[in-house]
Amino acid sequence: MSQKVFVSAQEVADRAGVSRSAVSRTFTPGASVSPETRRKVLEAADALGYHVNHLARGLMRNESGIVCLIVSDMATPHRSGLIKALTEQLQSAGKIAMLVNTDLSDGSVDLALRQAIRYRADASIILSGMPDKSITQLCLKSGQRLVLINRDDEQDGPLRINLDDEEAASRVVTAFLRAGCRKFALANSEAGTPSLMAREKGFVAAARTHGLDVIVERYGWTSYESGRVLAQRLLTQSQRPDAVFCATDLLACGFMDAARNQFSLSVPNQLCVAGFDDIEQASWASYQLTTFAQPLATIAQEAVLWLDSKEGANSQGRAHAIRLHADLVWRGSVRGG
Amino acid sequence: MSQKVFVSAQEVADRAGVSRSAVSRTFTPGASVSPETRRKVLEAADALGYHVNHLARGLMRNESGIVCLIVSDMATPHRSGLIKALTEQLQSAGKIAMLVNTDLSDGSVDLALRQAIRYRADASIILSGMPDKSITQLCLKSGQRLVLINRDDEQDGPLRINLDDEEAASRVVTAFLRAGCRKFALANSEAGTPSLMAREKGFVAAARTHGLDVIVERYGWTSYESGRVLAQRLLTQSQRPDAVFCATDLLACGFMDAARNQFSLSVPNQLCVAGFDDIEQASWASYQLTTFAQPLATIAQEAVLWLDSKEGANSQGRAHAIRLHADLVWRGSVRGG
DNA sequence: GGCCATCTTGCAAGCGCGTGCAAATGCCGC
DNA sequence: GCGGCATTTGCACGCGCTTGCAAGATGGCC
């Protein structure tokens, strides 16, 4: 029916009175085509509503321009912020993002990567659980680049971008000490991702160097609700902590709300709270959370920069790891900023 | 170099000792292939790490399986929730989402749609500003389906999914009256999107039928910060309102925070507040916002359902509009729930 | 005018795949 | 044993595009 669908380069060529190659070259940056021909082609293309078929182009060039974003919990403030930053950078670099949600089934990071391979994505950026070794091998063998964000691991081949979680966590200890706190607690989820564990580890270790023990509590997945539960657990301890580091802002928000509403504690007077990620809500008046800013823009930049750079010389540079610094954002949830 | 890249159907065929067609048919549901051949093919494919090239398949079938999500403000709680719901439904339906961020340049919905056309997306789902008439024409002529979510408009051809914003807004009036409020205000952004305006219109109209006037204030774009500014403006009026309907939860959160911190008003005792969207933060203890739930799952379902259904009979059903109901979620920010 | 260098253009091959068509195969009943 | 039928298989073409190659066009210079 109206299934005449898309107009092809041939039709443009016919209308412009040139060969199909001329049309192709007109839309290929850097190709040799005379101004006159180019004009005729562009005119015809415009009249006909022609758009280069990137599927076919990708087939020929063996490079689709597609970058696959593999992500779980994508409605989360931090994740959606990262997705936004990545799409912006990708689009500026002339690439396009394909989005795969891994919340559906288990082990679906592998499924997602397969999807990326099917569409011959130039690269996959993973913000989700760890992919199997076997599938990452497959990706690399197929010439797919791989970027792992905030999931440090022993994989080689892909680019890994991480924050210095441990070092950042140790700075929380300094902040808490300066606020005059002495009874430290750490609230974490049970997700057990490398960055979450690094924050925990860094905090506990730094406290220990000051001769302080830390009550560590883990619960559920990384959410506001878990923060509330963690507050229940930590604030009913015989030795109630006077400073708690939440591994994530989302946890911190839940924690603070429970501390205030259910335990009538005033933050920061009776309880200091710090978080991590600097999600938008951390700056809201109700929270004023002292936290660490994820350099989203920088992360995204580094990722697509690497994708572009490796385009030419891809065999030489094997694994590559980038470790970024997280800036401490002082707000009211810790005394003495 | 290691640029051997992807394995093709031919290689699988060679290894399995069959023709290339047999390989193709093995991966084409419903094609005629004997169990024995199928087994050999699958074995070879697995050994070689073969994956059907969806670029080439899309080229042949004239159907890429790609659906383009065109969205602005994607890091916003409501938008990211919608994106999540959509990707889930799309993936369950065997399709894949391509994500285009329109925050970069102006008029970029058109650019985004062009991108969708280039990749021969089967459809585009728009959660951003309105596309030009000309480009939507182009989409439809090219056999691209178009879905507009929450941006009612006179466009024909595409599927339009909207909430009954006006009716919902009128229910806020009822709720406020029941709470004993009499001085109404409405806080809106200056974005002026159809759904925002419909909420405003519905609220004002319903108030008027009860003989009540509404102080309407608009400011900035739809954000937490704007909510704070709106509070500044509305709560310094000589006749301070005792009930305010914020066109969006994000505005409501900012509004509530300012009302409490800067005006020391207690919600809901001195001021009732209602919002719209039911973002996650609306349920947080600090807000407990009475609001309307966007039926995200239903919206997403309807969208992909329509995409599938139209696959066969596409010419007959012209425009199609779906109007969904928004459930009122009672929480503590309005008295007498 | 002739020659060479430079630029432009068309031809044709091929990217990886789906699919119509005809040949091949297998099976059954007579 | 053979014709008829259903199923499976291979061939070959085409989807829309890029690109190497060689032919054609142009112009400068002796």
Side-chain angles (χ1 to χ4, degrees):
Chain A
M1 264 281 8
S2 72
Q3 285 297 51
K4 178 54 209 39
V5 292
F6 295 94
V7 14
S8 73
Q10 184 62 66
E11 306 177 48
V12 177
D14 290 348
R15 184 183 232 264
V18 300
S19 78
R20 205 162 50 75
S21 336
V23 178
S24 179
R25 281 191 253 262
T26 301
F27 291 100
T28 302
S32 160
V33 75
S34 72
E36 171 61 7
T37 308
R38 158 176 240 95
R39 194 192 52 73
K40 283 193 290 185
V41 169
L42 287 178
E43 198 175 292
D46 199 58
L48 262 41
Y50 170 74
H51 292 268
V52 178
N53 186 333
H54 272 50
L55 266 43
R57 169 175 282 186
L59 198 55
M60 273 302 309
R61 292 223 184 129
N62 216 15
E63 159 180 326
S64 60
I66 297 173
V67 172
C68 191
L69 265 39
I70 298 177
V71 21
S72 57
D73 295 326
M74 59 169 73
T76 266
H78 170 242
R79 286 289 161 81
S80 56
L82 197 43
I83 293 174
K84 179 178 173 179
L86 283 167
T87 54
E88 277 173 3
Q89 291 294 330
L90 284 172
Q91 287 176 221
S92 304
K95 308 198 180 302
I96 187 110
M98 182 160 262
L99 188 60
V100 180
N101 183 339
T102 62
D103 290 338
L104 300 173
S105 56
D106 245 359
S108 59
V109 175
D110 287 11
L111 264 61
L113 273 172
R114 285 208 170 68
Q115 201 65 322
I117 292 181
R118 287 200 199 95
Y119 279 97
R120 299 304 190 254
D122 296 337
S124 295
I125 301 182
I126 302 184
L127 327 176
S128 180
M130 289 305 310
D132 247 31
K133 204 103 179 178
S134 65
I135 188 85
T136 63
Q137 291 294 330
L138 188 55
C139 282
L140 299 178
K141 208 171 58 183
S142 309
Q144 262 215 344
R145 320 245 172 289
L146 229 46
V147 180
L148 305 180
I149 297 186
N150 281 345
R151 39 214 65 261
D152 209 342
D153 188 65
E154 304 310 319
Q155 312 269 359
D156 61 349
L159 167 66
R160 285 166 285 140
I161 303 182
N162 295 284
L163 297 195
D164 202 339
D165 294 287
E166 242 179 279
E167 186 273 342
S170 76
R171 274 181 283 152
V172 180
V173 171
T174 315
F176 281 168
L177 287 173
R178 190 172 308 163
C181 301
R182 286 296 175 274
K183 278 169 284 184
F184 291 3
L186 182 135
N188 207 347
S189 78
E190 292 175 315
T193 68
S195 39
L196 254 30
M197 295 317 281
R199 292 169 201 173
E200 181 175 319
K201 187 176 158 206
F203 184 74
V204 172
R208 196 149 293 161
T209 66
H210 291 275
L212 293 175
D213 267 344
V214 175
I215 315 174
V216 174
E217 195 76 49
R218 301 193 198 114
Y219 174 81
W221 35 287
T222 318
S223 67
Y224 174 87
E225 268 314 317
S226 299
R228 294 177 61 93
V229 174
L230 285 161
Q232 299 278 12
R233 297 204 179 165
L234 283 170
L235 300 179
T236 49
Q237 304 255 340
S238 55
Q239 282 272 34
R240 179 157 56 70
D242 57 4
V244 30
F245 176 38
C246 299
T248 269
D249 281 358
L250 228 38
L251 292 173
C253 288
F255 196 101
M256 283 179 75
D257 276 343
R260 287 184 185 138
N261 296 346
Q262 292 165 41
F263 296 89
S264 306
L265 292 173
S266 136
V267 176
N269 297 333
Q270 300 171 273
L271 179 70
C272 288
V273 178
F276 207 111
D277 284 349
D278 195 27
I279 63 178
E280 203 208 314
Q281 288 73 27
S283 72
W284 288 8
S286 285
Y287 301 101
Q288 285 298 313
L289 190 60
T290 291
T291 185
F292 291 91
Q294 291 253 11
L296 299 183
T298 309
I299 292 175
Q301 246 166 263
E302 291 286 354
V304 334
L305 214 64
W306 183 78
L307 293 184
D308 270 347
S309 74
K310 288 297 161 195
E311 213 121 77
N314 74 318
S315 53
Q316 51 105 329
R318 306 264 314 137
H320 188 202
I322 296 178
R323 186 164 293 273
L324 297 172
H325 182 77
D327 280 329
L328 181 53
V329 182
W330 271 102
R331 297 207 185 87
S333 69
V334 174
R335 290 189 296 274
Chain B
M1 271 278 7
S2 73
Q3 284 298 51
K4 178 55 207 43
V5 293
F6 295 94
V7 15
S8 73
Q10 185 61 65
E11 306 177 48
V12 177
D14 291 348
R15 183 183 232 263
V18 300
S19 79
R20 203 173 50 72
S21 334
V23 178
S24 179
R25 283 191 250 263
T26 301
F27 291 100
T28 302
S32 161
V33 76
S34 74
E36 171 60 8
T37 308
R38 160 176 239 93
R39 194 192 51 73
K40 283 194 291 185
V41 169
L42 286 179
E43 199 176 292
D46 198 59
L48 262 42
Y50 170 74
H51 293 268
V52 178
N53 185 334
H54 273 50
L55 266 44
R57 169 175 283 188
L59 199 55
M60 276 300 311
R61 291 220 186 131
N62 214 16
E63 160 180 326
S64 61
I66 297 173
V67 172
C68 191
L69 266 39
I70 298 177
V71 20
S72 58
D73 294 327
M74 59 168 74
T76 265
H78 170 241
R79 285 291 161 77
S80 56
L82 197 43
I83 293 175
K84 178 177 172 179
L86 282 167
T87 54
E88 279 173 3
Q89 291 293 330
L90 285 173
Q91 287 176 222
S92 304
K95 309 197 177 304
I96 187 111
M98 182 160 262
L99 188 59
V100 180
N101 184 339
T102 62
D103 290 338
L104 300 174
S105 56
D106 245 357
S108 60
V109 175
D110 287 11
L111 264 61
L113 273 172
R114 286 209 169 68
Q115 199 66 321
I117 292 180
R118 287 199 199 97
Y119 279 98
R120 299 304 190 254
D122 297 336
S124 294
I125 300 181
I126 303 185
L127 327 176
S128 182
M130 289 306 313
D132 247 30
K133 202 102 178 177
S134 65
I135 187 85
T136 63
Q137 291 294 331
L138 188 55
C139 282
L140 300 178
K141 209 171 59 184
S142 310
Q144 262 214 345
R145 319 243 171 290
L146 227 48
V147 180
L148 305 180
I149 297 185
N150 281 345
R151 41 213 63 259
D152 208 345
D153 189 65
E154 304 311 319
Q155 311 270 358
D156 60 350
L159 167 66
R160 285 167 284 141
I161 303 181
N162 293 284
L163 297 195
D164 201 340
D165 293 288
E166 242 179 280
E167 185 274 340
S170 76
R171 275 181 282 153
V172 180
V173 171
T174 315
F176 281 168
L177 287 173
R178 191 171 309 164
C181 301
R182 287 295 173 274
K183 278 168 282 180
F184 292 3
L186 182 134
N188 207 346
S189 78
E190 291 176 315
T193 68
S195 39
L196 253 31
M197 294 319 280
R199 291 170 201 173
E200 180 175 321
K201 186 175 159 206
F203 184 75
V204 171
R208 197 149 291 161
T209 67
H210 291 274
L212 294 174
D213 267 344
V214 175
I215 315 174
V216 174
E217 195 76 49
R218 300 194 199 114
Y219 174 80
W221 35 287
T222 318
S223 67
Y224 174 89
E225 266 314 316
S226 298
R228 294 176 61 93
V229 174
L230 286 161
Q232 301 278 12
R233 299 203 178 166
L234 284 170
L235 299 179
T236 48
Q237 305 255 339
S238 55
Q239 282 272 34
R240 177 159 55 71
D242 57 4
V244 30
F245 175 37
C246 299
T248 269
D249 282 358
L250 227 39
L251 291 174
C253 287
F255 196 100
M256 283 178 75
D257 276 344
R260 286 185 185 135
N261 295 346
Q262 290 166 42
F263 297 89
S264 306
L265 293 173
S266 136
V267 175
N269 297 332
Q270 300 171 273
L271 179 70
C272 288
V273 178
F276 207 111
D277 285 349
D278 195 27
I279 64 178
E280 203 208 314
Q281 287 74 27
S283 72
W284 288 8
S286 286
Y287 301 101
Q288 285 298 312
L289 189 60
T290 291
T291 186
F292 291 92
Q294 291 253 11
L296 299 183
T298 309
I299 292 174
Q301 247 165 261
E302 291 287 353
V304 334
L305 214 63
W306 183 78
L307 293 185
D308 271 346
S309 74
K310 288 295 161 197
E311 213 120 78
N314 75 319
S315 53
Q316 51 106 326
R318 305 263 315 136
H320 189 201
I322 296 178
R323 186 165 292 275
L324 297 172
H325 182 77
D327 281 327
L328 180 54
V329 182
W330 271 101
R331 296 207 186 86
S333 70
V334 174
R335 290 191 295 275

